[in-house]
Amino acid sequence: MGGGYAGMAAAVVLSASGCQVNVFEAGKRLGGRARQVTWHGHHLDNGQHILLGAYTTLLGLMAFVDPDEHLALKALPLTWDMHGKVNLSANPLLGRAGTLLALLTAKGFNLRDKMGILSKLVQTRFSSRSAPDGPVSDWLRGQTDNSICYFWEPLCLAALNTPIHLASSRIFKSVILDGLLAGANASRMLLPKVNLSALWPEKAAVFVAKHDGKMFLAEKVKHLQCDADGFTLITSKQALSADAVVCAVGPHQLADLDLPHELSSAVDHVSAFAYQPIRTVYVQYAETASLPKPVHGLHHCIENGICHWVFDRGQLTGEHGLLAVVISAEHRQHASPKEELESKVIQELKAFFPELPTPLWAKSILETRATFQADVALPRPDGKTSNARFAFAGDYIESPYPATLESAARSGVVAANRLATTLGLNVPEHFKI
Ligand SMILES: Cc1cc2nc3c(=O)[nH]c(=O)nc-3n(C[C@H](O)[C@H](O)[C@H](O)COP(=O)(O)OP(=O)(O)OC[C@H]3O[C@@H](n4cnc5c(N)ncnc54)[C@H](O)[C@@H]3O)c2cc1C
């Protein structure tokens, strides 16, 4: 149930293990929060996404269904460009040392900023992963205002989509350890060159279909009934029996399913979750318009600025003249009328990049529950239930990481392993857990 990145990861692993898989997806396109949407004939992503080289599970799944998958991603070595304020870029040939050297030679940070960041990174590298949790803002005590403003805060918002006064330092440190500090390969930024449905879920669907599976799009599961040796899934169009079920709907969509009590472990957990929004504002200029780089950080780079990041889709997906501006987490601007916000974004882009012409159109997409809020010591469900034929999957399932495509994919692989064990199936070595 659910054709997002978690559901499709489970579907691929179960198909590869010899299962006949039926995927029910409520939406018309696969991908969930990472899907393509169409607006007045324009094909846009529900939100601009970035992957990291550290997304080993998802990248492994992508390569499994399509060995040429790497061609769908533009890889950039770790770069941190806060427009006109801070600039650093790591030499990928130098591995971990490249990240540290990039920090030491970064433009825009003084020696105190750099030493503060470096000592925090070294401390993170050698501290225990189970050290007590607390807000990132407390963990940053002693850091300079400059480093918080142009490095730590934008990094925390980009990675956890949670403001530093609320965000869990434990989750933040996991991202730093396994992304930033895990070498040049892990810290690479991977930017999709195709839309987010085509990037993985639709290729996964082809794989599932080749293994006798079926995809049911625009078909929401309304109810699930437990039977003696499996389940009956009831949708608006049919009732289908299944030996086992992976429930990969978003955390806020679980309550809607009205699951039988024995299957409701995750539902109880997520009732305490808070969520954070992300807004992506697409602005289309003439096709000749472009930015100096594919990605620019804009957070705090202008007084009272509202844009956090801007992506030049022309340099990524070949959609020339199309810019995608990301505004993360709780932001006063999310409450503004859409037209007012779009025009503020356009004005701000002009202030940053005066050569931009008058835009042709703008479209803002607000996802109000983009991610769960990565709260301090947030209890997350482990995905198991007392019924071994039923497992939950999704970015919210217990893991060291925040809500990401990688945590979604990992949870799908774990759920598939659980069901495969129950059903006596053999999971391919590559995906065994
Ligand atoms: C704007 C935005 C930007 C983001 N940026 C990044 C980023 O840069 N990098 C990153 O790693 N992550 C990013 N994320 C987070 C990432 O998109 C999510 O963590 C991930 O997509 C979650 O996948 P999922 O499969 O767990 O859940 P979902 O994508 O929510 O999938 C759940 C699916 O279940 C379906 N469903 C719900 N109820 C039913 C039902 N009853 N029957 C059938 N189907 C049902 C839904 O339609 C949906 O397709 C971003 C998210 C947003 C919204």
Side-chain angles (χ1 to χ4, degrees), residues 1-7 24-27 29 31-34 46-51 55 219-222 248-250 253 257 278 280 367 370-371 393-395 403-406 408:
M1 303 192 289
Y5 275 57
F24 288 94
E25 166 51 47
R29 288 295 291 268
R33 277 167 276 164
N46 184 48
Q48 175 65 46
H49 279 57
I50 288 194
L51 287 71
Y55 286 14
E219 195 165 337
K220 188 173 176 175
V221 177
K222 296 199 155 171
V249 311
Q253 295 159 331
L257 277 168
I278 300 180
T280 307
E367 184 75 47
T371 64
D395 59 357
T404 57
L405 298 174
E406 173 67 4

Side-chain angles (χ1 to χ4, degrees), residues 8-29:
M8 293 314 294
V12 163
V13 176
L14 283 167
S15 296
S17 313
C19 227
Q20 191 205 332
V21 180
N22 297 300
V23 177
F24 288 94
E25 166 51 47
K28 289 187 198 140
R29 288 295 291 268

Side-chain angles (χ1 to χ4, degrees), residues 80 153-162 278 309 328:
W80 192 256
E153 191 182 13
L155 182 64
C156 182
L157 278 178
L160 275 62
N161 192 36
T162 304
I278 300 180
W309 297 89
S328 306

